[in-house]
Amino acid sequence: MELFNQNGITTPKGAVAFTAEEAEAAYKSMGTPDQLVIKAQVLSGGRGLGTFKNGFQGGVHMISSPSEAFSFASQMLGQELVTKQNPKGILCNRVYLMEKMDIEKEMYLSLLMDRASGGPVLVGSPCGGTSIEDVAHSNPELIFKENIDIMEGITTEACQRMAENLGLSKGTEAHDKAVHLMENLYSMFVKNDCTQVEINPLAQTKQGDIVVCDAKVNFDDNAAFRNKEIHAKRDTTQEDPREVNASKYDLNYIGLDGNIGCMVNGAGLAMSTMDIIQLKGGSPANFLDVGGGATEEQVTKAFEILNADENVKAILVNIFGGIMKCDVIASGIIAAAKNIGLDKPLVVRLEGTNVEKGKKLISDSGIKVVVADDLDDAAEKAVALV
């Protein structure tokens, strides 16, 4: 909310609390109003319908006293909230106390990068405060888009059309405020290298204000050097620790629910590898792309992550050497086996640059490896080992 305010976008007053005592003090600091909203600050949608593992229902509540702020925060902080998006649960280590708004109308508004149009797109709907996916499914005619030329930037005309599509009549104060908000939103989006800003709901109050009541903002990791202050606020406790660990070594890792660990070079080949594992009756445990310029250290770290995952029962390495040389991968495999005690069945398929050199290194190393001739063969052998 601080970022929105810095860019001239109105939000409800609020305060973050890390303890129940801080939540109680925050309620008092806001003038002890009749009611506030307390929210579990976790990186997940569907918080209101979630359930904490201690049995406490809901990650969003209305509270009406400092003592309730203390009580509710006590039951939320330090607990894992299970939601539709995070069925395994996600730790709540802070809560947000926010003033209750007198809302007349709830809308949806987002700004994101769109591959199809090759630039940003503004998306809006007059139906806010609910799942936008449900609205798109049941009433697709209520989803409106405005493509933006990245060289020209957002235009006043596009903002005016979107404001009308949100149900705000042209010429009204609310319409004008919404247009101004969208212009400021685009400025914030570009200046801070955002990849997505999703506001749900964007509210029109009975006093005629246009307010961002809840929002999700994603930032481009590649631009972290330009926005160090923002990226310094990253809360890694809200992320998969395997993904956090991998990111430190510039490894592209996404954890999945299967039991065959995959290490591949190139996103397309990684996707193909996961598909063929599934086709052969197996289930991939992850997406792991070491990229084209991985070092022996990065390859070793990739193995450490896979070896430490208790869900992984076998590891499949599928490398097509181009920029990434097969002998570098082989050296990483050998180093990992010797340094970390690689104890899981390993299937390796190498092809491309320095493939014979890579195979010889593995053969001479004495480590236990199942060598595959092609991707079909590799997938079948990996599935058979689990």
Side-chain angles (χ1 to χ4, degrees), residues 308-386:
D309 189 341
E310 57 187 33
N311 292 326
V312 172
K313 306 304 179 188
I315 298 173
L316 170 57
V317 177
N318 182 26
I319 299 297
F320 187 84
I323 299 173
M324 181 75 258
K325 296 178 175 63
C326 292
D327 57 316
V328 174
I329 290 291
S331 297
I333 293 171
I334 296 165
K338 292 180 177 178
N339 298 336
I340 68 174
L342 189 63
D343 56 4
K344 297 184 178 181
L346 177 62
V347 179
V348 177
R349 178 256 182 168
L350 299 176
E351 194 60 68
T353 307
N354 291 355
V355 62
E356 294 305 326
K357 187 176 180 181
K359 286 181 178 179
K360 187 174 188 308
L361 284 170
I362 291 173
S363 176
D364 294 346
S365 70
I367 64 173
K368 197 173 179 181
V369 178
V370 177
V371 178
D373 297 325
D374 54 39
L375 184 48
D376 265 346
D377 184 40
E380 286 175 1
K381 288 176 175 176
V383 171
L385 287 170
V386 299

Side-chain angles (χ1 to χ4, degrees), residues 194-305:
C194 300
T195 56
Q196 179 186 41
V197 180
E198 184 178 45
I199 302 169
N200 193 15
L202 176 68
Q204 177 186 0
T205 68
K206 291 184 178 177
Q207 293 74 34
D209 292 322
I210 302 296
V211 182
V212 173
C213 287
D214 207 344
K216 176 173 71 176
V217 185
N218 293 341
F219 302 92
D220 186 353
D221 291 341
N222 295 313
F225 70 95
R226 278 201 297 251
N227 298 290
K228 293 180 180 178
E229 186 177 340
I230 290 173
H231 287 267
K233 296 179 180 179
R234 179 183 178 187
D235 183 1
T236 56
T237 66
Q238 297 290 296
E239 303 176 48
D240 186 325
R242 299 169 300 178
E243 295 179 15
V244 174
N245 197 13
S247 69
K248 294 176 183 177
Y249 291 84
D250 292 325
L251 297 169
N252 298 311
Y253 179 96
I254 299 172
L256 302 172
D257 296 327
N259 57 9
I260 299 177
C262 306
M263 189 177 79
V264 188
N265 66 318
L269 189 58
M271 296 295 287
S272 299
T273 302
M274 292 192 294
D275 286 344
I276 201 162
I277 288 172
Q278 199 83 34
L279 188 65
K280 298 296 182 181
S283 181
N286 63 276
F287 169 99
L288 175 53
D289 170 19
V290 297
T295 63
E296 183 179 321
E297 181 188 19
Q298 287 174 300
V299 174
T300 302
K301 191 63 189 180
F303 271 107
E304 283 183 22
I305 294 169

Side-chain angles (χ1 to χ4, degrees), residues 134-200:
D134 291 343
V135 175
H137 177 72
S138 60
N139 298 97
E141 73 280 2
L142 295 180
I143 304 292
F144 300 94
K145 297 180 181 180
E146 290 285 346
N147 291 327
I148 301 168
D149 184 331
I150 192 69
M151 302 305 294
E152 181 182 356
I154 200 165
T155 64
T156 300
E157 292 75 21
C159 295
Q160 289 173 338
R161 286 193 299 269
M162 182 58 74
E164 288 188 72
N165 287 329
L166 294 180
L168 303 172
S169 301
K170 195 169 185 178
T172 64
E173 185 180 6
H175 179 278
D176 293 342
K177 287 182 177 179
V179 169
H180 185 58
L181 179 144
M182 292 176 208
E183 291 172 337
N184 287 346
L185 185 67
Y186 183 76
S187 175
M188 182 187 99
F189 183 87
V190 173
K191 182 170 61 177
N192 296 286
D193 295 292
C194 300
T195 56
Q196 179 186 41
V197 180
E198 184 178 45
I199 302 169
N200 193 15

